[in-house]
Amino acid sequence: MELIRTVDAMQAHADAARADGQTLALVPTLGALHDGHLALVRRALEAADHVTVSVFVNPTQFGPGEDYDTYPRDLGGDRETLRALDVDTLFAPSVEEMYPYSDDEALPGPLAWVDMVRLDEHLCGAHREDHFRGVTTVVTKLFHACKPDVAVFGKKDAQQYVILQRLAEDLLFDIDIVGVPTVREPDGLAQSSRNEYLDPDEREQATVLYEAVTAAEEAIEGGEQAAEAVVGAMENALAAAPDADVQYAELVDAHTLQPVDHLAPGQEVLAAVAVFFGDTRLIDNTFVQVPASPS
């Protein structure tokens, strides 16, 4: 496995692989890889001849007071993990490489951003100002650096997944955006690098996120069509954790990410929650197909 640190070298490497007739897949990550990330890597290995995993803790998607400085970093461990999976390339650029004018005293950058409208109005976008602008900008940069035919993302970050699908379509990227279902611990908690922040009691309580989205799924599949009742089922589940500070529990259309009041037969919706345990913010969600009307 080749470790590449610069954009120029990554682009040259991708060009050479393409010239050799290979199809390219990219798995963008923040690093501190866990089994959820590895599921993305395995899907990429199925989808293309050549797989690049990027490890870059992107500062522009972290807001003031968030955990950019303390976010888990383990490039050495990530490198060994990826080598064992026969990944072709690890792209691990510096902040200066990805944002080359960030320290320019005369005209500090970045000055160019990739914005997404409407799809970032609710869920995490309503609570993390400019988060998705940072995500769409860095993913665009990674697409240009790594030149993939396929890019693989986790559906645990459901709003991000929908936004990046639309990004690729609207900006005419010739890239297939592939989503992989959430990988969970045996008790249902979605795997996340931030889980390591939890103390034992918080970790035990954190299963309420999965219980909440499961309650929403069961209500919808059981025929409930009132969004208020589905959200209420999620809120009731979250209330079982005494230390949970609920940021949101919402039900939105899975394609527009706009709130729904009444569920239409055949509609796909997204039930999503975000909860703080102390300073640790966790999310979970589920995509649900509303049952068709009885024939």
Side-chain angles (χ1 to χ4, degrees):
M1 185 182 70
E2 187 167 353
L3 173 63
I4 297 178
R5 293 285 200 168
T6 70
V7 171
D8 286 347
M10 185 66 242
Q11 290 174 327
H13 182 84
D15 287 341
R18 282 181 174 275
D20 195 38
Q22 298 183 72
T23 54
L24 279 59
L26 170 66
V27 182
T29 81
L30 300 182
L33 302 180
H34 51 67
D35 286 346
H37 295 113
L38 302 190
L40 309 185
V41 174
R42 293 187 181 98
R43 180 66 183 87
L45 289 164
E46 296 172 354
D49 305 315
H50 180 287
V51 173
T52 295
V53 176
S54 65
V55 170
F56 179 63
V57 184
N58 174 41
T60 66
Q61 69 189 68
F62 289 80
E66 293 188 345
D67 58 341
Y68 173 72
D69 291 331
T70 60
Y71 193 86
R73 291 165 170 85
D74 182 17
L75 184 61
D78 293 342
R79 188 176 184 181
E80 293 307 310
T81 297
L82 295 173
R83 181 182 285 117
L85 288 176
D86 291 329
V87 167
D88 299 279
T89 308
L90 171 57
F91 180 48
S94 66
V95 172
E96 293 74 21
E97 188 69 20
M98 294 298 285
Y99 297 99
Y101 294 97
S102 56
D103 294 329
D104 189 327
E105 293 184 2
L107 200 61
L111 301 181
W113 295 93
V114 180
D115 279 311
M116 179 64 66
V117 299
R118 295 302 304 279
L119 296 182
D120 66 348
E121 292 175 343
H122 302 283
L123 306 176
C124 293
H127 301 277
R128 302 184 68 187
E129 185 177 2
D130 291 332
H131 167 69
F132 287 113
R133 181 176 79 157
V135 169
T136 50
T137 297
V138 78
V139 168
T140 297
K141 287 171 175 276
L142 289 169
F143 284 172
H144 287 308
C146 301
K147 304 187 179 183
D149 300 291
V150 178
V152 183
F153 298 91
K155 288 186 176 181
K156 182 183 83 72
D157 297 302
Q159 186 174 21
Q160 172 180 281
Y161 169 64
V162 173
I163 284 174
L164 293 176
Q165 280 187 309
R166 188 60 183 264
L167 172 79
E169 294 170 2
D170 279 11
L171 297 188
L172 309 183
F173 283 110
D174 188 16
I175 299 172
D176 185 19
I177 305 299
V178 174
V180 174
T182 301
V183 176
R184 300 184 179 278
E185 301 290 351
D187 61 4
L189 180 66
Q191 292 199 349
S192 169
S193 299
R194 291 187 169 99
N195 289 348
E196 69 178 56
Y197 298 157
L198 301 171
D199 67 32
D201 187 46
E202 291 170 337
R203 171 61 184 81
E204 184 176 356
Q205 293 183 51
T207 58
V208 295
L209 280 85
Y210 177 58
E211 292 162 8
V213 298
T214 298
E217 186 172 24
E218 291 174 349
I220 295 167
E221 293 178 346
E224 180 59 65
Q225 293 184 324
E228 184 178 4
V230 176
V231 171
M234 290 193 285
E235 292 174 337
N236 287 340
L238 295 173
D243 296 328
D245 181 7
V246 179
Q247 187 176 67
Y248 69 75
E250 294 188 52
L251 188 68
V252 299
D253 181 90
H255 303 288
T256 67
L257 300 184
Q258 300 300 305
V260 294
D261 293 323
H262 185 80
L263 282 66
Q267 180 182 20
E268 187 179 21
V269 294
L270 174 65
V273 296
V275 174
F276 280 94
F277 287 97
D279 293 329
T280 303
R281 182 179 183 273
L282 302 178
I283 63 171
D284 206 342
N285 59 77
T286 185
F287 289 95
V288 189
Q289 195 81 28
V290 179
S293 298
S295 56

